[in-house]
Amino acid sequence: NVAPAALMKLAEALDDPGEWKTRISRAIDRGALAVRREVVIGSDGEDPSALERVDIVVSGPDLLLAIENKVWSYEHDGQTETYARWFEGFRPERIVGGLFLTPAGQSPASSLFKPLSYVDLLDCLLEGPSTRKLDPREALVLSGYVKSLAASVLRDHLRHL
């Protein structure tokens, strides 16, 4: 109940949110939505030190969403631009996009990535519980994550405002 609602809410930050929501729903209905962490991108034969890692990739048969998370660091070496070039290999079969998650919602180098703050993320995560009753395990995991955000990232960010 948490993840699908949060993903639909996250889609609102992307270009053409209606198309994203349609494709996400279709992937969920087919059981074909995958979420992977630390996805390595790059071509075979490249210098291994030149490979990049996308923090989170949400994919389905016709969608690819990358999420780059920067908590206590900044984008370096045009990361989102590198990821945007990687996306080109998936078009036109898939809709592609990215979210650049930072405490304050800083702008990324690539326009294909949309800024997202941790307050925005919190709003997305609470979408499910606002419309559905959560399974006790879901409520426990969500509660722990929200407490963790409040105790670290959000507290530090709000202190600087």
Side-chain angles (χ1 to χ4, degrees):
N1 289 319
V2 173
L7 189 53
M8 290 298 193
K9 187 80 171 169
L10 284 170
E12 293 175 9
L14 300 166
D15 291 337
D16 200 357
E19 184 63 26
W20 275 98
K21 288 179 178 187
T22 297
R23 292 180 187 218
I24 291 167
S25 290
R26 195 166 45 221
I28 290 171
D29 290 346
R30 293 178 183 167
L33 192 70
V35 178
R36 296 180 301 147
R37 294 179 46 225
E38 295 294 326
V39 175
V40 177
I41 64 169
S43 303
D44 289 336
E46 283 190 27
D47 173 7
S49 65
L51 297 178
E52 295 279 348
R53 294 184 193 279
V54 180
D55 291 325
I56 299 172
V57 173
V58 179
S59 62
D62 58 359
L63 68 97
L64 179 72
L65 173 63
I67 302 173
E68 182 61 20
N69 182 24
K70 296 292 183 192
V71 181
W72 289 288
S73 65
Y74 297 96
E75 179 174 5
H76 58 84
D77 302 323
Q79 287 174 290
T80 58
E81 291 170 334
T82 299
Y83 303 158
R85 285 190 299 276
W86 175 63
F87 284 154
E88 293 306 317
F90 295 94
R91 289 184 181 193
E93 295 83 17
R94 294 183 182 184
I95 189 172
V96 297
L99 296 170
F100 190 63
L101 177 61
T102 64
Q106 296 166 325
S107 294
S110 170
S111 63
L112 190 61
F113 278 72
K114 305 304 175 199
L116 187 77
S117 73
Y118 270 88
V119 171
D120 296 332
L121 176 63
L122 186 58
D123 183 47
C124 294
L125 291 172
L126 296 176
E127 185 70 15
S130 72
T131 59
R132 297 179 182 95
K133 182 168 175 41
L134 296 185
D135 169 284
R137 292 174 301 196
E138 285 181 303
L140 185 62
V141 170
L142 180 59
S143 172
Y145 187 70
V146 169
K147 285 178 185 175
S148 176
L149 280 179
S152 59
V153 178
L154 292 175
R155 183 189 65 186
D156 289 345
H157 172 64
L158 294 174
R159 190 178 296 151
H160 292 96
L161 291 179

